[in-house]
Amino acid sequence: MIGDALTRLRRAQGQLSGVISMIEEGEDCADVLQQLAAVSKALDRAGFKIVATGMRHCDAARQRGEEPPMTEKELERLFLALA
């Protein structure tokens, strides 16, 4: 759900602030990179959550006999942009 994605994005925002502070304070490169990898993973997961939510919305629209807001091809393109 979008709420889950927002939670992940807020967590990533906090982690990114921490990474910036680590760099400013001259922390060890390996520690900085480890935290940066965690930020990257959090952003990826938020993106996948958003795509999954879009898929559910489109499927629900189809089941109601409505035109979905996005085509399968558009959803696939968004998904692949995250991969």
Side-chain angles (χ1 to χ4, degrees):
M1 314 289 197
I2 293 297
D4 293 338
L6 285 173
T7 299
R8 290 178 187 278
L9 288 171
R10 286 186 183 107
R11 185 177 310 135
Q13 184 178 30
Q15 288 173 314
L16 185 56
S17 293
V19 169
I20 292 168
S21 294
M22 290 174 77
I23 292 170
E24 291 173 341
E25 295 168 8
E27 295 284 333
D28 180 63
C29 181
D31 293 338
V32 170
L33 290 175
Q34 182 178 10
Q35 290 304 309
L36 192 56
V39 172
S40 180
K41 189 172 184 176
L43 291 172
D44 288 344
R45 288 182 182 266
F48 289 131
K49 278 283 191 187
I50 291 169
V51 170
T53 299
M55 291 172 65
R56 281 192 292 277
H57 284 296
C58 289
D59 185 51
R62 279 189 208 91
Q63 288 181 10
R64 291 188 305 267
E66 300 171 2
E67 186 68 28
M70 298 180 81
T71 66
E72 288 180 19
K73 188 169 191 146
E74 290 170 321
L75 283 168
E76 180 181 0
R77 188 175 22 244
L78 290 173
F79 177 81
L80 292 175
L82 296 172

PDB file of all heavy atoms in Angstrom, residues 25-65:
ATOM      1  N   GLU A  25      31.510  13.981   8.737  1.00  0.00           N
ATOM      2  CA  GLU A  25      32.326  13.736   9.920  1.00  0.00           C
ATOM      3  C   GLU A  25      33.552  12.874   9.627  1.00  0.00           C
ATOM      4  O   GLU A  25      34.321  12.557  10.533  1.00  0.00           O
ATOM      5  CB  GLU A  25      31.466  13.088  11.006  1.00  0.00           C
ATOM      6  CG  GLU A  25      30.374  14.024  11.505  1.00  0.00           C
ATOM      7  CD  GLU A  25      29.325  13.318  12.359  1.00  0.00           C
ATOM      8  OE1 GLU A  25      29.519  12.119  12.686  1.00  0.00           O
ATOM      9  OE2 GLU A  25      28.313  13.957  12.677  1.00  0.00           O
ATOM     10  N   GLY A  26      33.710  12.481   8.358  1.00  0.00           N
ATOM     11  CA  GLY A  26      34.887  11.702   7.972  1.00  0.00           C
ATOM     12  C   GLY A  26      34.868  10.264   8.442  1.00  0.00           C
ATOM     13  O   GLY A  26      35.925   9.677   8.689  1.00  0.00           O
ATOM     14  N   GLU A  27      33.676   9.687   8.551  1.00  0.00           N
ATOM     15  CA  GLU A  27      33.558   8.286   8.989  1.00  0.00           C
ATOM     16  C   GLU A  27      34.236   7.350   7.983  1.00  0.00           C
ATOM     17  O   GLU A  27      34.496   7.706   6.843  1.00  0.00           O
ATOM     18  CB  GLU A  27      32.080   7.895   9.128  1.00  0.00           C
ATOM     19  CG  GLU A  27      31.346   8.634  10.213  1.00  0.00           C
ATOM     20  CD  GLU A  27      31.678   8.140  11.604  1.00  0.00           C
ATOM     21  OE1 GLU A  27      32.044   6.964  11.768  1.00  0.00           O
ATOM     22  OE2 GLU A  27      31.583   8.959  12.537  1.00  0.00           O
ATOM     23  N   ASP A  28      34.468   6.143   8.432  1.00  0.00           N
ATOM     24  CA  ASP A  28      35.105   5.118   7.614  1.00  0.00           C
ATOM     25  C   ASP A  28      34.291   4.855   6.343  1.00  0.00           C
ATOM     26  O   ASP A  28      33.058   4.743   6.383  1.00  0.00           O
ATOM     27  CB  ASP A  28      35.218   3.818   8.430  1.00  0.00           C
ATOM     28  CG  ASP A  28      35.873   2.713   7.657  1.00  0.00           C
ATOM     29  OD1 ASP A  28      37.049   2.862   7.294  1.00  0.00           O
ATOM     30  OD2 ASP A  28      35.185   1.699   7.391  1.00  0.00           O
ATOM     31  N   CYS A  29      34.992   4.753   5.223  1.00  0.00           N
ATOM     32  CA  CYS A  29      34.370   4.562   3.913  1.00  0.00           C
ATOM     33  C   CYS A  29      33.475   3.322   3.872  1.00  0.00           C
ATOM     34  O   CYS A  29      32.373   3.359   3.334  1.00  0.00           O
ATOM     35  CB  CYS A  29      35.469   4.461   2.848  1.00  0.00           C
ATOM     36  SG  CYS A  29      34.859   4.253   1.170  1.00  0.00           S
ATOM     37  N   ALA A  30      33.938   2.219   4.448  1.00  0.00           N
ATOM     38  CA  ALA A  30      33.158   0.983   4.435  1.00  0.00           C
ATOM     39  C   ALA A  30      31.845   1.157   5.186  1.00  0.00           C
ATOM     40  O   ALA A  30      30.789   0.670   4.744  1.00  0.00           O
ATOM     41  CB  ALA A  30      33.968  -0.165   5.030  1.00  0.00           C
ATOM     42  N   ASP A  31      31.877   1.862   6.307  1.00  0.00           N
ATOM     43  CA  ASP A  31      30.654   2.105   7.081  1.00  0.00           C
ATOM     44  C   ASP A  31      29.682   2.987   6.304  1.00  0.00           C
ATOM     45  O   ASP A  31      28.472   2.739   6.295  1.00  0.00           O
ATOM     46  CB  ASP A  31      30.987   2.753   8.421  1.00  0.00           C
ATOM     47  CG  ASP A  31      31.752   1.830   9.353  1.00  0.00           C
ATOM     48  OD1 ASP A  31      31.674   0.591   9.167  1.00  0.00           O
ATOM     49  OD2 ASP A  31      32.425   2.346  10.256  1.00  0.00           O
ATOM     50  N   VAL A  32      30.218   3.996   5.631  1.00  0.00           N
ATOM     51  CA  VAL A  32      29.377   4.890   4.830  1.00  0.00           C
ATOM     52  C   VAL A  32      28.710   4.101   3.710  1.00  0.00           C
ATOM     53  O   VAL A  32      27.502   4.218   3.475  1.00  0.00           O
ATOM     54  CB  VAL A  32      30.202   6.064   4.258  1.00  0.00           C
ATOM     55  CG1 VAL A  32      29.390   6.861   3.238  1.00  0.00           C
ATOM     56  CG2 VAL A  32      30.701   6.972   5.375  1.00  0.00           C
ATOM     57  N   LEU A  33      29.484   3.284   3.025  1.00  0.00           N
ATOM     58  CA  LEU A  33      28.935   2.511   1.908  1.00  0.00           C
ATOM     59  C   LEU A  33      27.888   1.503   2.372  1.00  0.00           C
ATOM     60  O   LEU A  33      26.894   1.269   1.688  1.00  0.00           O
ATOM     61  CB  LEU A  33      30.046   1.816   1.138  1.00  0.00           C
ATOM     62  CG  LEU A  33      30.945   2.757   0.346  1.00  0.00           C
ATOM     63  CD1 LEU A  33      32.093   1.992  -0.293  1.00  0.00           C
ATOM     64  CD2 LEU A  33      30.141   3.500  -0.712  1.00  0.00           C
ATOM     65  N   GLN A  34      28.098   0.933   3.542  1.00  0.00           N
ATOM     66  CA  GLN A  34      27.117  -0.007   4.088  1.00  0.00           C
ATOM     67  C   GLN A  34      25.781   0.709   4.336  1.00  0.00           C
ATOM     68  O   GLN A  34      24.718   0.195   4.000  1.00  0.00           O
ATOM     69  CB  GLN A  34      27.641  -0.636   5.373  1.00  0.00           C
ATOM     70  CG  GLN A  34      26.707  -1.665   5.973  1.00  0.00           C
ATOM     71  CD  GLN A  34      27.290  -2.301   7.227  1.00  0.00           C
ATOM     72  OE1 GLN A  34      28.312  -1.864   7.760  1.00  0.00           O
ATOM     73  NE2 GLN A  34      26.636  -3.337   7.702  1.00  0.00           N
ATOM     74  N   GLN A  35      25.836   1.893   4.906  1.00  0.00           N
ATOM     75  CA  GLN A  35      24.620   2.661   5.158  1.00  0.00           C
ATOM     76  C   GLN A  35      23.979   3.147   3.852  1.00  0.00           C
ATOM     77  O   GLN A  35      22.764   3.173   3.719  1.00  0.00           O
ATOM     78  CB  GLN A  35      24.914   3.837   6.079  1.00  0.00           C
ATOM     79  CG  GLN A  35      25.218   3.433   7.492  1.00  0.00           C
ATOM     80  CD  GLN A  35      24.098   2.597   8.093  1.00  0.00           C
ATOM     81  OE1 GLN A  35      22.933   2.971   8.046  1.00  0.00           O
ATOM     82  NE2 GLN A  35      24.438   1.448   8.644  1.00  0.00           N
ATOM     83  N   LEU A  36      24.813   3.505   2.889  1.00  0.00           N
ATOM     84  CA  LEU A  36      24.298   3.937   1.592  1.00  0.00           C
ATOM     85  C   LEU A  36      23.584   2.789   0.885  1.00  0.00           C
ATOM     86  O   LEU A  36      22.538   2.990   0.252  1.00  0.00           O
ATOM     87  CB  LEU A  36      25.436   4.480   0.734  1.00  0.00           C
ATOM     88  CG  LEU A  36      25.041   5.234  -0.528  1.00  0.00           C
ATOM     89  CD1 LEU A  36      24.119   6.396  -0.218  1.00  0.00           C
ATOM     90  CD2 LEU A  36      26.285   5.724  -1.245  1.00  0.00           C
ATOM     91  N   ALA A  37      24.103   1.582   1.016  1.00  0.00           N
ATOM     92  CA  ALA A  37      23.439   0.407   0.447  1.00  0.00           C
ATOM     93  C   ALA A  37      22.070   0.197   1.096  1.00  0.00           C
ATOM     94  O   ALA A  37      21.100  -0.163   0.418  1.00  0.00           O
ATOM     95  CB  ALA A  37      24.319  -0.830   0.618  1.00  0.00           C
ATOM     96  N   ALA A  38      21.973   0.447   2.394  1.00  0.00           N
ATOM     97  CA  ALA A  38      20.689   0.313   3.091  1.00  0.00           C
ATOM     98  C   ALA A  38      19.686   1.341   2.571  1.00  0.00           C
ATOM     99  O   ALA A  38      18.504   1.030   2.390  1.00  0.00           O
ATOM    100  CB  ALA A  38      20.888   0.468   4.595  1.00  0.00           C
ATOM    101  N   VAL A  39      20.157   2.558   2.308  1.00  0.00           N
ATOM    102  CA  VAL A  39      19.277   3.596   1.752  1.00  0.00           C
ATOM    103  C   VAL A  39      18.773   3.166   0.378  1.00  0.00           C
ATOM    104  O   VAL A  39      17.582   3.272   0.069  1.00  0.00           O
ATOM    105  CB  VAL A  39      20.013   4.957   1.648  1.00  0.00           C
ATOM    106  CG1 VAL A  39      19.170   5.975   0.893  1.00  0.00           C
ATOM    107  CG2 VAL A  39      20.376   5.478   3.017  1.00  0.00           C
ATOM    108  N   SER A  40      19.676   2.677  -0.435  1.00  0.00           N
ATOM    109  CA  SER A  40      19.322   2.246  -1.781  1.00  0.00           C
ATOM    110  C   SER A  40      18.269   1.135  -1.746  1.00  0.00           C
ATOM    111  O   SER A  40      17.292   1.156  -2.505  1.00  0.00           O
ATOM    112  CB  SER A  40      20.578   1.768  -2.513  1.00  0.00           C
ATOM    113  OG  SER A  40      20.265   1.341  -3.812  1.00  0.00           O
ATOM    114  N   LYS A  41      18.455   0.180  -0.855  1.00  0.00           N
ATOM    115  CA  LYS A  41      17.506  -0.924  -0.721  1.00  0.00           C
ATOM    116  C   LYS A  41      16.138  -0.420  -0.272  1.00  0.00           C
ATOM    117  O   LYS A  41      15.098  -0.859  -0.777  1.00  0.00           O
ATOM    118  CB  LYS A  41      18.045  -1.962   0.257  1.00  0.00           C
ATOM    119  CG  LYS A  41      17.247  -3.222   0.300  1.00  0.00           C
ATOM    120  CD  LYS A  41      17.937  -4.280   1.144  1.00  0.00           C
ATOM    121  CE  LYS A  41      17.170  -5.576   1.105  1.00  0.00           C
ATOM    122  NZ  LYS A  41      17.842  -6.649   1.824  1.00  0.00           N
ATOM    123  N   ALA A  42      16.120   0.514   0.652  1.00  0.00           N
ATOM    124  CA  ALA A  42      14.853   1.075   1.133  1.00  0.00           C
ATOM    125  C   ALA A  42      14.123   1.803   0.007  1.00  0.00           C
ATOM    126  O   ALA A  42      12.897   1.686  -0.124  1.00  0.00           O
ATOM    127  CB  ALA A  42      15.103   2.023   2.303  1.00  0.00           C
ATOM    128  N   LEU A  43      14.854   2.540  -0.816  1.00  0.00           N
ATOM    129  CA  LEU A  43      14.237   3.230  -1.945  1.00  0.00           C
ATOM    130  C   LEU A  43      13.678   2.237  -2.958  1.00  0.00           C
ATOM    131  O   LEU A  43      12.564   2.421  -3.476  1.00  0.00           O
ATOM    132  CB  LEU A  43      15.245   4.161  -2.627  1.00  0.00           C
ATOM    133  CG  LEU A  43      15.666   5.384  -1.825  1.00  0.00           C
ATOM    134  CD1 LEU A  43      16.800   6.110  -2.541  1.00  0.00           C
ATOM    135  CD2 LEU A  43      14.486   6.308  -1.582  1.00  0.00           C
ATOM    136  N   ASP A  44      14.435   1.184  -3.239  1.00  0.00           N
ATOM    137  CA  ASP A  44      13.961   0.160  -4.167  1.00  0.00           C
ATOM    138  C   ASP A  44      12.674  -0.480  -3.670  1.00  0.00           C
ATOM    139  O   ASP A  44      11.712  -0.647  -4.420  1.00  0.00           O
ATOM    140  CB  ASP A  44      15.023  -0.922  -4.369  1.00  0.00           C
ATOM    141  CG  ASP A  44      16.209  -0.453  -5.185  1.00  0.00           C
ATOM    142  OD1 ASP A  44      16.106   0.603  -5.856  1.00  0.00           O
ATOM    143  OD2 ASP A  44      17.251  -1.136  -5.156  1.00  0.00           O
ATOM    144  N   ARG A  45      12.658  -0.817  -2.415  1.00  0.00           N
ATOM    145  CA  ARG A  45      11.462  -1.463  -1.853  1.00  0.00           C
ATOM    146  C   ARG A  45      10.247  -0.528  -1.882  1.00  0.00           C
ATOM    147  O   ARG A  45       9.134  -0.966  -2.135  1.00  0.00           O
ATOM    148  CB  ARG A  45      11.735  -1.967  -0.444  1.00  0.00           C
ATOM    149  CG  ARG A  45      12.654  -3.171  -0.436  1.00  0.00           C
ATOM    150  CD  ARG A  45      12.865  -3.676   0.992  1.00  0.00           C
ATOM    151  NE  ARG A  45      13.764  -4.792   1.019  1.00  0.00           N
ATOM    152  CZ  ARG A  45      13.385  -6.068   0.992  1.00  0.00           C
ATOM    153  NH1 ARG A  45      12.115  -6.374   0.944  1.00  0.00           N
ATOM    154  NH2 ARG A  45      14.285  -7.036   1.023  1.00  0.00           N
ATOM    155  N   ALA A  46      10.474   0.744  -1.645  1.00  0.00           N
ATOM    156  CA  ALA A  46       9.370   1.703  -1.731  1.00  0.00           C
ATOM    157  C   ALA A  46       8.839   1.764  -3.164  1.00  0.00           C
ATOM    158  O   ALA A  46       7.626   1.781  -3.388  1.00  0.00           O
ATOM    159  CB  ALA A  46       9.834   3.087  -1.274  1.00  0.00           C
ATOM    160  N   GLY A  47       9.734   1.775  -4.116  1.00  0.00           N
ATOM    161  CA  GLY A  47       9.319   1.793  -5.514  1.00  0.00           C
ATOM    162  C   GLY A  47       8.525   0.558  -5.887  1.00  0.00           C
ATOM    163  O   GLY A  47       7.494   0.650  -6.565  1.00  0.00           O
ATOM    164  N   PHE A  48       8.982  -0.602  -5.441  1.00  0.00           N
ATOM    165  CA  PHE A  48       8.259  -1.842  -5.735  1.00  0.00           C
ATOM    166  C   PHE A  48       6.878  -1.839  -5.078  1.00  0.00           C
ATOM    167  O   PHE A  48       5.905  -2.334  -5.652  1.00  0.00           O
ATOM    168  CB  PHE A  48       9.066  -3.065  -5.298  1.00  0.00           C
ATOM    169  CG  PHE A  48      10.274  -3.325  -6.159  1.00  0.00           C
ATOM    170  CD1 PHE A  48      11.511  -3.558  -5.580  1.00  0.00           C
ATOM    171  CD2 PHE A  48      10.185  -3.338  -7.541  1.00  0.00           C
ATOM    172  CE1 PHE A  48      12.630  -3.795  -6.368  1.00  0.00           C
ATOM    173  CE2 PHE A  48      11.296  -3.577  -8.339  1.00  0.00           C
ATOM    174  CZ  PHE A  48      12.526  -3.805  -7.750  1.00  0.00           C
ATOM    175  N   LYS A  49       6.788  -1.282  -3.881  1.00  0.00           N
ATOM    176  CA  LYS A  49       5.479  -1.180  -3.215  1.00  0.00           C
ATOM    177  C   LYS A  49       4.528  -0.311  -4.034  1.00  0.00           C
ATOM    178  O   LYS A  49       3.346  -0.624  -4.173  1.00  0.00           O
ATOM    179  CB  LYS A  49       5.631  -0.567  -1.814  1.00  0.00           C
ATOM    180  CG  LYS A  49       6.035  -1.539  -0.768  1.00  0.00           C
ATOM    181  CD  LYS A  49       4.844  -2.373  -0.382  1.00  0.00           C
ATOM    182  CE  LYS A  49       5.146  -3.189   0.849  1.00  0.00           C
ATOM    183  NZ  LYS A  49       4.071  -4.116   1.147  1.00  0.00           N
ATOM    184  N   ILE A  50       5.039   0.782  -4.572  1.00  0.00           N
ATOM    185  CA  ILE A  50       4.199   1.683  -5.367  1.00  0.00           C
ATOM    186  C   ILE A  50       3.738   0.997  -6.649  1.00  0.00           C
ATOM    187  O   ILE A  50       2.566   1.085  -7.018  1.00  0.00           O
ATOM    188  CB  ILE A  50       4.951   3.000  -5.656  1.00  0.00           C
ATOM    189  CG1 ILE A  50       5.118   3.787  -4.352  1.00  0.00           C
ATOM    190  CG2 ILE A  50       4.211   3.837  -6.702  1.00  0.00           C
ATOM    191  CD1 ILE A  50       6.061   4.964  -4.443  1.00  0.00           C
ATOM    192  N   VAL A  51       4.631   0.276  -7.309  1.00  0.00           N
ATOM    193  CA  VAL A  51       4.246  -0.459  -8.519  1.00  0.00           C
ATOM    194  C   VAL A  51       3.208  -1.529  -8.184  1.00  0.00           C
ATOM    195  O   VAL A  51       2.213  -1.693  -8.893  1.00  0.00           O
ATOM    196  CB  VAL A  51       5.477  -1.072  -9.217  1.00  0.00           C
ATOM    197  CG1 VAL A  51       5.055  -2.028 -10.328  1.00  0.00           C
ATOM    198  CG2 VAL A  51       6.369   0.018  -9.796  1.00  0.00           C
ATOM    199  N   ALA A  52       3.419  -2.244  -7.086  1.00  0.00           N
ATOM    200  CA  ALA A  52       2.467  -3.283  -6.677  1.00  0.00           C
ATOM    201  C   ALA A  52       1.091  -2.683  -6.397  1.00  0.00           C
ATOM    202  O   ALA A  52       0.060  -3.256  -6.771  1.00  0.00           O
ATOM    203  CB  ALA A  52       2.983  -4.036  -5.457  1.00  0.00           C
ATOM    204  N   THR A  53       1.067  -1.521  -5.769  1.00  0.00           N
ATOM    205  CA  THR A  53      -0.202  -0.847  -5.510  1.00  0.00           C
ATOM    206  C   THR A  53      -0.875  -0.467  -6.819  1.00  0.00           C
ATOM    207  O   THR A  53      -2.092  -0.645  -6.983  1.00  0.00           O
ATOM    208  CB  THR A  53       0.024   0.400  -4.632  1.00  0.00           C
ATOM    209  OG1 THR A  53       0.575  -0.020  -3.384  1.00  0.00           O
ATOM    210  CG2 THR A  53      -1.275   1.155  -4.385  1.00  0.00           C
ATOM    211  N   GLY A  54      -0.092   0.033  -7.759  1.00  0.00           N
ATOM    212  CA  GLY A  54      -0.635   0.368  -9.073  1.00  0.00           C
ATOM    213  C   GLY A  54      -1.221  -0.846  -9.766  1.00  0.00           C
ATOM    214  O   GLY A  54      -2.286  -0.768 -10.396  1.00  0.00           O
ATOM    215  N   MET A  55      -0.542  -1.980  -9.643  1.00  0.00           N
ATOM    216  CA  MET A  55      -1.046  -3.217 -10.251  1.00  0.00           C
ATOM    217  C   MET A  55      -2.389  -3.604  -9.642  1.00  0.00           C
ATOM    218  O   MET A  55      -3.307  -4.007 -10.356  1.00  0.00           O
ATOM    219  CB  MET A  55      -0.023  -4.335 -10.079  1.00  0.00           C
ATOM    220  CG  MET A  55       1.240  -4.137 -10.892  1.00  0.00           C
ATOM    221  SD  MET A  55       2.536  -5.331 -10.499  1.00  0.00           S
ATOM    222  CE  MET A  55       1.792  -6.847 -11.032  1.00  0.00           C
ATOM    223  N   ARG A  56      -2.494  -3.486  -8.325  1.00  0.00           N
ATOM    224  CA  ARG A  56      -3.760  -3.828  -7.664  1.00  0.00           C
ATOM    225  C   ARG A  56      -4.883  -2.896  -8.105  1.00  0.00           C
ATOM    226  O   ARG A  56      -6.014  -3.326  -8.338  1.00  0.00           O
ATOM    227  CB  ARG A  56      -3.588  -3.793  -6.145  1.00  0.00           C
ATOM    228  CG  ARG A  56      -2.910  -5.029  -5.590  1.00  0.00           C
ATOM    229  CD  ARG A  56      -3.012  -5.106  -4.079  1.00  0.00           C
ATOM    230  NE  ARG A  56      -2.240  -4.069  -3.414  1.00  0.00           N
ATOM    231  CZ  ARG A  56      -0.938  -4.154  -3.162  1.00  0.00           C
ATOM    232  NH1 ARG A  56      -0.267  -5.215  -3.524  1.00  0.00           N
ATOM    233  NH2 ARG A  56      -0.307  -3.174  -2.548  1.00  0.00           N
ATOM    234  N   HIS A  57      -4.586  -1.605  -8.225  1.00  0.00           N
ATOM    235  CA  HIS A  57      -5.605  -0.644  -8.657  1.00  0.00           C
ATOM    236  C   HIS A  57      -6.069  -0.944 -10.087  1.00  0.00           C
ATOM    237  O   HIS A  57      -7.260  -0.887 -10.378  1.00  0.00           O
ATOM    238  CB  HIS A  57      -5.075   0.794  -8.575  1.00  0.00           C
ATOM    239  CG  HIS A  57      -5.008   1.341  -7.188  1.00  0.00           C
ATOM    240  ND1 HIS A  57      -6.126   1.546  -6.408  1.00  0.00           N
ATOM    241  CD2 HIS A  57      -3.947   1.723  -6.433  1.00  0.00           C
ATOM    242  CE1 HIS A  57      -5.757   2.031  -5.233  1.00  0.00           C
ATOM    243  NE2 HIS A  57      -4.440   2.145  -5.224  1.00  0.00           N
ATOM    244  N   CYS A  58      -5.123  -1.251 -10.946  1.00  0.00           N
ATOM    245  CA  CYS A  58      -5.472  -1.560 -12.330  1.00  0.00           C
ATOM    246  C   CYS A  58      -6.302  -2.841 -12.415  1.00  0.00           C
ATOM    247  O   CYS A  58      -7.274  -2.910 -13.168  1.00  0.00           O
ATOM    248  CB  CYS A  58      -4.213  -1.683 -13.192  1.00  0.00           C
ATOM    249  SG  CYS A  58      -3.390  -0.099 -13.493  1.00  0.00           S
ATOM    250  N   ASP A  59      -5.914  -3.850 -11.629  1.00  0.00           N
ATOM    251  CA  ASP A  59      -6.664  -5.104 -11.626  1.00  0.00           C
ATOM    252  C   ASP A  59      -8.079  -4.883 -11.114  1.00  0.00           C
ATOM    253  O   ASP A  59      -9.049  -5.408 -11.681  1.00  0.00           O
ATOM    254  CB  ASP A  59      -5.937  -6.143 -10.775  1.00  0.00           C
ATOM    255  CG  ASP A  59      -6.596  -7.504 -10.838  1.00  0.00           C
ATOM    256  OD1 ASP A  59      -6.847  -7.992 -11.968  1.00  0.00           O
ATOM    257  OD2 ASP A  59      -6.870  -8.084  -9.766  1.00  0.00           O
ATOM    258  N   ALA A  60      -8.215  -4.094 -10.065  1.00  0.00           N
ATOM    259  CA  ALA A  60      -9.552  -3.806  -9.515  1.00  0.00           C
ATOM    260  C   ALA A  60     -10.414  -3.076 -10.542  1.00  0.00           C
ATOM    261  O   ALA A  60     -11.608  -3.367 -10.677  1.00  0.00           O
ATOM    262  CB  ALA A  60      -9.432  -2.987  -8.235  1.00  0.00           C
ATOM    263  N   ALA A  61      -9.820  -2.141 -11.270  1.00  0.00           N
ATOM    264  CA  ALA A  61     -10.572  -1.418 -12.302  1.00  0.00           C
ATOM    265  C   ALA A  61     -11.045  -2.380 -13.388  1.00  0.00           C
ATOM    266  O   ALA A  61     -12.205  -2.319 -13.822  1.00  0.00           O
ATOM    267  CB  ALA A  61      -9.711  -0.312 -12.919  1.00  0.00           C
ATOM    268  N   ARG A  62     -10.174  -3.294 -13.809  1.00  0.00           N
ATOM    269  CA  ARG A  62     -10.563  -4.273 -14.831  1.00  0.00           C
ATOM    270  C   ARG A  62     -11.702  -5.152 -14.341  1.00  0.00           C
ATOM    271  O   ARG A  62     -12.625  -5.455 -15.081  1.00  0.00           O
ATOM    272  CB  ARG A  62      -9.363  -5.149 -15.207  1.00  0.00           C
ATOM    273  CG  ARG A  62      -8.441  -4.508 -16.186  1.00  0.00           C
ATOM    274  CD  ARG A  62      -7.384  -5.510 -16.695  1.00  0.00           C
ATOM    275  NE  ARG A  62      -6.200  -4.783 -17.073  1.00  0.00           N
ATOM    276  CZ  ARG A  62      -5.179  -4.509 -16.270  1.00  0.00           C
ATOM    277  NH1 ARG A  62      -5.166  -4.949 -15.034  1.00  0.00           N
ATOM    278  NH2 ARG A  62      -4.150  -3.821 -16.705  1.00  0.00           N
ATOM    279  N   GLN A  63     -11.641  -5.578 -13.084  1.00  0.00           N
ATOM    280  CA  GLN A  63     -12.690  -6.433 -12.532  1.00  0.00           C
ATOM    281  C   GLN A  63     -14.027  -5.708 -12.466  1.00  0.00           C
ATOM    282  O   GLN A  63     -15.078  -6.342 -12.555  1.00  0.00           O
ATOM    283  CB  GLN A  63     -12.284  -6.948 -11.158  1.00  0.00           C
ATOM    284  CG  GLN A  63     -11.179  -7.989 -11.219  1.00  0.00           C
ATOM    285  CD  GLN A  63     -10.811  -8.512  -9.842  1.00  0.00           C
ATOM    286  OE1 GLN A  63     -11.474  -8.246  -8.850  1.00  0.00           O
ATOM    287  NE2 GLN A  63      -9.720  -9.274  -9.787  1.00  0.00           N
ATOM    288  N   ARG A  64     -13.982  -4.386 -12.317  1.00  0.00           N
ATOM    289  CA  ARG A  64     -15.225  -3.601 -12.306  1.00  0.00           C
ATOM    290  C   ARG A  64     -15.695  -3.273 -13.727  1.00  0.00           C
ATOM    291  O   ARG A  64     -16.704  -2.605 -13.906  1.00  0.00           O
ATOM    292  CB  ARG A  64     -15.014  -2.290 -11.535  1.00  0.00           C
ATOM    293  CG  ARG A  64     -14.812  -2.450 -10.047  1.00  0.00           C
ATOM    294  CD  ARG A  64     -14.798  -1.106  -9.328  1.00  0.00           C
ATOM    295  NE  ARG A  64     -13.828  -0.167  -9.862  1.00  0.00           N
ATOM    296  CZ  ARG A  64     -12.573   0.001  -9.421  1.00  0.00           C
ATOM    297  NH1 ARG A  64     -12.134  -0.730  -8.425  1.00  0.00           N
ATOM    298  NH2 ARG A  64     -11.777   0.892  -9.966  1.00  0.00           N
ATOM    299  N   GLY A  65     -14.907  -3.696 -14.725  1.00  0.00           N
ATOM    300  CA  GLY A  65     -15.248  -3.413 -16.105  1.00  0.00           C
ATOM    301  C   GLY A  65     -14.847  -2.019 -16.550  1.00  0.00           C
ATOM    302  O   GLY A  65     -15.316  -1.536 -17.576  1.00  0.00           O
TER     303      GLY A  65
END
